[in-house]
Amino acid sequence: MIPGALSDIVRKPWVRTLALAATVLATVFLMWQNEEGDSVRGDAAELRGPSEPDSFIIEGRYTTWDEHGNLKMSISSPRIEQFEDTNYATMNAPRARIFSEQATPPWIIEADEGSLRQDDDQVTLTGNVVVLRQTGDSEATLKTDSLTLDNRQGTVYTDQPVTITEPFGVTQANGMKAWINERILELNSRVEGQYETIR
């Protein structure tokens, strides 16, 4: 039972209206807080991505050096996702620069996607892979669908069809292997070429 003075206050219409307004405001506030929390969680989930990596890097760079401290490879990507259990990382739109022991321009490699297995220091690039190699005053471009870079061995290779475009012609083949330091390119099979004669 409500005491007399309190009972008189509760019976007044403005008190009931004030109590109702306070209840409605409290309910709205709690609902708003819950929606804001869902929004923050939603933004974080969207930023993390559907693959749910253990960590990710925006505008990341992966760089390696040889035992003498010379730069061997540098790969940049707008987004790198890392998976700790498998020591594996994926990259969006990677761009790699591969350096040789000679003082020559680095090989430039671009692709739609890439992955890095850190245990064996291998990078696999897939989707519209383009390799740009500068030799003296000329430039050669190699295009393929998939390419693996073995950073320990200093080689790049693929078993996919490749197209090499140089100032004097175009060469096509199935598969290739290249040694970065030796600047040697070996084509595997079904090699065909079209060359322009110099006049």
Side-chain angles (χ1 to χ4, degrees):
M1 183 158 181
I2 301 172
L6 188 56
S7 174
D8 291 341
I9 293 173
V10 170
R11 285 191 187 121
K12 294 183 179 177
W14 67 271
V15 173
R16 285 196 304 266
T17 303
L18 185 61
L20 180 62
T23 303
V24 169
L25 284 174
T27 303
V28 168
F29 176 76
L30 290 173
M31 289 175 63
W32 175 74
Q33 286 290 86
N34 190 38
E35 286 176 8
E36 186 179 72
D38 290 343
S39 174
V40 169
R41 283 190 293 275
D43 291 346
E46 184 178 330
L47 186 60
R48 187 169 187 181
S51 56
E52 297 188 2
D54 295 306
S55 60
F56 62 90
I57 302 166
I58 304 298
E59 299 300 334
R61 184 178 300 275
Y62 175 78
T63 306
T64 62
W65 291 265
D66 64 17
E67 61 274 8
H68 305 293
N70 300 314
L71 189 59
K72 282 182 72 176
M73 177 180 70
S74 177
I75 300 178
S76 60
S77 169
R79 181 181 175 91
I80 301 174
E81 295 184 347
Q82 297 175 312
F83 302 88
E84 293 175 7
D85 288 347
T86 55
N87 215 7
Y88 183 78
T90 61
M91 297 171 279
N92 291 346
R95 186 174 195 272
R97 293 188 306 148
I98 314 300
F99 298 86
S100 67
E101 291 175 351
Q102 295 85 12
T104 55
W107 292 25
I108 308 297
I109 307 176
E110 296 179 343
D112 292 341
E113 297 176 343
S115 60
L116 169 65
R117 292 195 321 238
Q118 294 174 330
D119 289 339
D120 53 12
D121 208 8
Q122 282 195 354
V123 177
T124 301
L125 302 170
T126 56
N128 299 311
V129 182
V130 178
V131 180
L132 181 63
R133 188 178 81 165
Q134 189 83 31
T135 52
D137 292 335
S138 67
E139 189 174 88
T141 303
L142 181 145
K143 294 183 180 181
T144 187
D145 288 330
S146 176
L147 188 72
T148 299
L149 165 63
D150 187 327
N151 199 34
R152 290 182 184 169
Q153 300 296 323
T155 60
V156 292
Y157 58 89
T158 183
D159 58 2
Q160 298 296 308
V162 297
T163 300
I164 301 168
T165 305
E166 299 174 277
F168 53 83
V170 177
T171 305
Q172 294 179 321
N174 275 355
M176 72 90 188
K177 185 172 183 178
W179 289 262
I180 304 294
N181 288 330
E182 293 79 7
R183 300 186 76 78
I184 296 173
L185 181 78
E186 180 181 275
L187 300 173
N188 292 355
S189 64
R190 300 184 67 180
V191 181
E192 297 178 3
Q194 295 179 336
Y195 302 98
E196 295 180 8
T197 56
I198 300 174
R199 297 179 184 178

